[in-house]
Amino acid sequence: MEVSIDEACTRIIAKRQPTAKDLRLVMAIIKTITDLERIGDVATRIARVAIEQPSTKHQKFHVSLEPLCRQAIAMLHQVLDAFARMDVDAAAEVYKLDDKLDAEYEAVVRQLMTYMMEDPKNIPNILQVMWSARAIERVGDRCQNICEYIIYFVKGKDVRHLDEKAIKDIL
């Protein structure tokens, strides 16, 4: 799907030569599909790890990811809804949620480090869980990217490397 959407966007640019807001929409779509593809790749890898590792033996390591997963999934749903409506206010709300996801990720990492110190022979398994936690946290970062594309489309301002105060001023 990513390739076909990318080709359609390229065709629009080549044949219709969109300007201003239309071009921003096409660019926002191209960038968003890239982030969505990466989110899908991460979900596939996490699913493989979950299938390959015996869940009963290391259940406590996996359970610690549940709140992190729920937050990331909620962010993804909200940002996709904001993108469908090109709603800057909703995008701004999702953008702020990444701080909560980052805090939850840091708590998970601290918990996993404690497990590693308690029983070093579990380190390989815990590292798999830690990789999964990091990948889930990156889903939040990709949602934040999509928020930036929404702001770019609606406001015509590229906010990718601005701090939260500068973004708030633009909104």
Side-chain angles (χ1 to χ4, degrees):
M1 286 179 67
E2 177 193 16
V3 172
S4 65
I5 294 169
D6 197 35
E7 287 173 356
C9 289
T10 302
R11 217 174 9 264
I12 289 169
I13 292 170
K15 291 184 176 182
R16 301 194 185 225
Q17 299 176 350
T19 58
K21 196 166 188 173
D22 293 334
L23 181 60
R24 288 195 311 268
L25 176 60
V26 172
M27 297 306 295
I29 291 170
I30 289 170
K31 290 172 183 253
T32 297
I33 61 170
T34 301
D35 278 319
L36 291 175
E37 171 68 19
R38 289 182 179 151
I39 289 170
D41 292 343
V42 163
T44 301
R45 179 144 186 241
I46 290 172
R48 274 197 207 110
V49 167
I51 290 168
E52 291 169 3
Q53 284 197 342
S55 61
T56 54
K57 186 175 178 185
H58 306 290
Q59 181 103 16
K60 67 180 178 181
F61 307 140
H62 295 282
V63 170
S64 66
L65 296 181
E66 189 173 344
L68 188 69
C69 291
R70 289 188 188 280
Q71 286 181 14
I73 290 168
M75 279 183 74
L76 183 58
H77 282 279
Q78 290 171 350
V79 80
L80 290 175
D81 183 56
F83 187 84
R85 295 181 289 115
M86 285 300 167
D87 184 342
V88 174
D89 295 330
E93 289 302 314
V94 175
Y95 193 91
K96 292 181 216 171
L97 292 176
D98 190 56
D99 290 340
K100 291 171 81 175
L101 190 69
D102 291 346
E104 182 68 34
Y105 167 71
E106 289 172 13
V108 166
V109 168
R110 280 193 303 276
Q111 181 183 15
L112 292 172
M113 289 173 68
T114 301
Y115 291 146
M116 284 191 280
M117 289 186 288
E118 288 173 358
D119 192 359
K121 69 182 177 198
N122 283 326
I123 289 176
N125 294 318
I126 294 171
L127 287 176
Q128 284 290 337
V129 177
M130 198 173 281
W131 176 89
S132 296
R134 175 68 180 133
I136 294 164
E137 189 275 334
R138 287 291 298 141
V139 168
D141 294 341
R142 296 197 185 286
C143 289
Q144 210 173 33
N145 292 347
I146 296 169
C147 292
E148 292 168 352
Y149 308 147
I150 295 167
I151 295 167
Y152 171 69
F153 168 69
V154 174
K155 297 291 187 174
K157 300 282 185 183
D158 188 349
V159 297
R160 287 181 291 178
H161 300 289
L162 300 179
D163 61 17
E164 285 190 44
K165 184 191 179 313
I167 292 172
K168 190 180 275 188
D169 292 341
I170 289 171
L171 300 176

